[in-house]
Amino acid sequence: MSELHWLSAAQAARAIAAKELSPVALMQALLDRIARLDPKLNVFIRLDAEAALAAAMAAETEAAAGRLRGPLHGVPVGIKDIIDVAGLPTTAHSKILEDNIAAADAVCVQKLRGAGAIVLGKVATHEFAIGGPSFDLPWPPARNPWNTDHHPGGSSSGSGAGVAGGLFPLALGTDTGGSVRNPASCCGIVGLKPTYGLVSRRGVLPLSFTLDHIGPMTRSVADNALMLEAIGGHDPLDPGSAASAAGRYAAALDRSVRGLRVGFVRHFHEVDVPAEPEVTAALAHVARTLQMEGAEVRGIRLPTLGEFAAVNRVILQSEAWAIHAPWLRERPGDYGQLSRRRLMAGAFFGAGDYVQAQRRRLQMIAEIEAAFREVDVLLCASSMDPPCRIDRPADIDRTYARQARTPFNVSGHPALAMLAGLSVDGLPISVQFVGRYFEEATVFQVARAWEQAAGTDKKHPPVV
Amino acid sequence: MDKATIELLARRAGLAKALAEFPEDVAAAAKQAADVASRIEQPTEPTAEPWPPMRAGRGL
């Protein structure tokens, strides 16, 4: 068996079910790796090693008796620290919630446990999923395993760095303006923002009610599909939950893309926010590869990235202000500076700004829906640059805005970011695939075709 | 947005403490808000609805 820390979730679960792999041996291998690497990567806010080992022992006993809880039996998972895990603090990486112990598991965590996954602990985020990377918080920011001087993306930073660094094969992230797909892009893994409402938000600290999504972060497309099957589905107690059940995504992964119509949104990275030449070349290579696999690639125009970003910001910061106003009024000094500035912005929008943004949002959704009458899936940039250095605030500020993720928070369509290639400096470059509402299966199908053609799931960071 | 307007709006929002302790952050937040709101194309069609629409009977 290959090195245990690079096993995919599907491989690990299969080996455990076949009694070829001990869940305890897998957990111990990951705990040893965490002990060695986490001082450099700062992934964990709270590692729950004792409980994770106890759960692995129980999983081993159950597997020996032929009792498997589900398709992720014995597979370790990292949880972003705005998602509740019963008995552990949900700090949101903030002094404000340092002592906030969760009474119950979030629905997505309950579902992962139901599928047999084992929670390893709570992992780093940008403060309240908005303010980072920051060095003025109770915990340091996570770092990129491809080069620890570089930013791992955010806000689901620990989830991205931990999966890419081989600390765990699966992680939960959240995505309000791109926070699953940004770390997936920076860390060279697979991150999906599902259709709005497909994964319950209950038990997850909100940032923006109408933009928040919970999504799977993994090293392979197959694992992402497997994880979405586990966490998706209707929750009657989440007011934003969709009526749909989760699909059977893993079974349809290997369908050919022959005949599939792919809309390439070139103006995002060629005109709206011109990408680094390496990124432009990588996106063109992905498009050519899909064409060679039999897909039909054509150009598609959508509203500009600048306007999508503005609509996202007005809605996000207005809704976040409604949540954070009491703390910002009483305890402004307990926030890091980045969060304080971003969250207080919501105080300066009028009700009219918010309503106009929501009206424009509906028009933009209609324009994306019109595109999906012409094509089956969209191909576009995720980040316009490889990840920048983490210690250069000006570079962080500049590159954060240079992305094409917010359109699909505004619209709620499923969007997946993954590795497109490596820069000359050996840092990840990314691509994004977007599907119709609830057609995650098609997104996975295209992502899998690219993964198989390019071998992206076999590329791991050299430094760790 | 001028300084007096920022201070007025900040106090009205209950941010007196932040204004006293972090005046530069309050000013930066106000600037962010003004910049971003001005970048949205305002729908001119009077019947353009906001998202999400009201849907009676779809509660918990």
Side-chain angles (χ1 to χ4, degrees), chain A residues 210 236 307 310 313-314 317 321 329-330 332-333 337 340-341 344-345 348-349 356 358-363 365, chain B residues 6 9 13-15 17-18 22 25-26 28-30 32-33 36 39-43 45-46 48-51 60:
Chain A
T210 70
E307 204 187 356
R313 276 285 138 181
V314 171
Q317 289 175 315
W321 166 250
R329 288 173 181 138
E330 298 301 320
Q337 188 184 48
R340 192 165 52 237
R341 288 186 173 197
M344 284 195 306
F348 294 92
F349 292 119
Q356 293 293 38
Q358 293 285 33
R359 294 173 83 208
R360 184 68 186 122
R361 179 184 204 174
L362 194 57
Q363 294 177 334
I365 289 171
Chain B
I6 291 170
L9 290 174
L15 291 173
K17 192 171 180 182
F22 306 102
D25 293 345
V26 174
Q32 269 184 57
V36 79
R39 295 208 308 266
I40 297 177
E41 187 184 310
Q42 306 286 311
E45 177 62 50
E49 287 260 354
W51 188 95
L60 292 174

Side-chain angles (χ1 to χ4, degrees), chain A residues 248-410:
Chain A
R248 301 291 299 160
Y249 310 109
L253 276 179
D254 289 321
R255 288 177 303 171
S256 161
V257 295
R258 182 162 299 284
L260 211 66
R261 297 168 303 167
V262 177
F264 192 4
V265 193
R266 288 191 185 87
H267 68 90
F268 278 178
H269 69 277
E270 289 181 353
V271 179
D272 300 354
V273 181
E276 284 292 316
E278 287 181 295
V279 174
T280 303
L283 291 169
H285 178 58
V286 174
R288 273 196 309 275
T289 304
L290 292 175
Q291 249 170 341
M292 284 164 57
E293 297 288 323
E296 178 200 324
V297 179
R298 61 173 88 164
I300 283 287
R301 280 207 70 83
L302 296 176
T304 66
L305 281 180
E307 204 187 356
F308 273 119
V311 167
N312 178 270
R313 276 285 138 181
V314 171
I315 296 167
L316 190 162
Q317 289 175 315
S318 299
E319 294 182 1
W321 166 250
I323 296 159
H324 285 270
W327 289 324
L328 286 165
R329 288 173 181 138
E330 298 301 320
R331 303 172 61 186
D334 286 345
Y335 285 87
Q337 188 184 48
L338 272 178
S339 319
R340 192 165 52 237
R341 288 186 173 197
R342 289 175 185 165
L343 292 168
M344 284 195 306
F348 294 92
F349 292 119
D353 294 324
Y354 179 76
V355 175
Q356 293 293 38
Q358 293 285 33
R359 294 173 83 208
R360 184 68 186 122
R361 179 184 204 174
L362 194 57
Q363 294 177 334
M364 293 171 126
I365 289 171
E367 292 182 60
I368 299 179
E369 286 288 87
F372 277 123
R373 286 193 282 278
E374 305 292 320
V375 296
D376 302 303
V377 71
L378 298 176
L379 157 65
C380 62
S382 173
S383 295
M384 303 305 177
D385 309 274
C388 68
R389 285 185 64 101
I390 197 169
D391 55 355
R392 290 189 188 151
D395 287 358
I396 298 272
D397 270 2
R398 188 183 70 85
T399 55
Y400 244 98
R402 291 171 47 76
Q403 49 89 6
R405 294 177 282 269
T406 51
F408 311 108
N409 294 90
V410 168

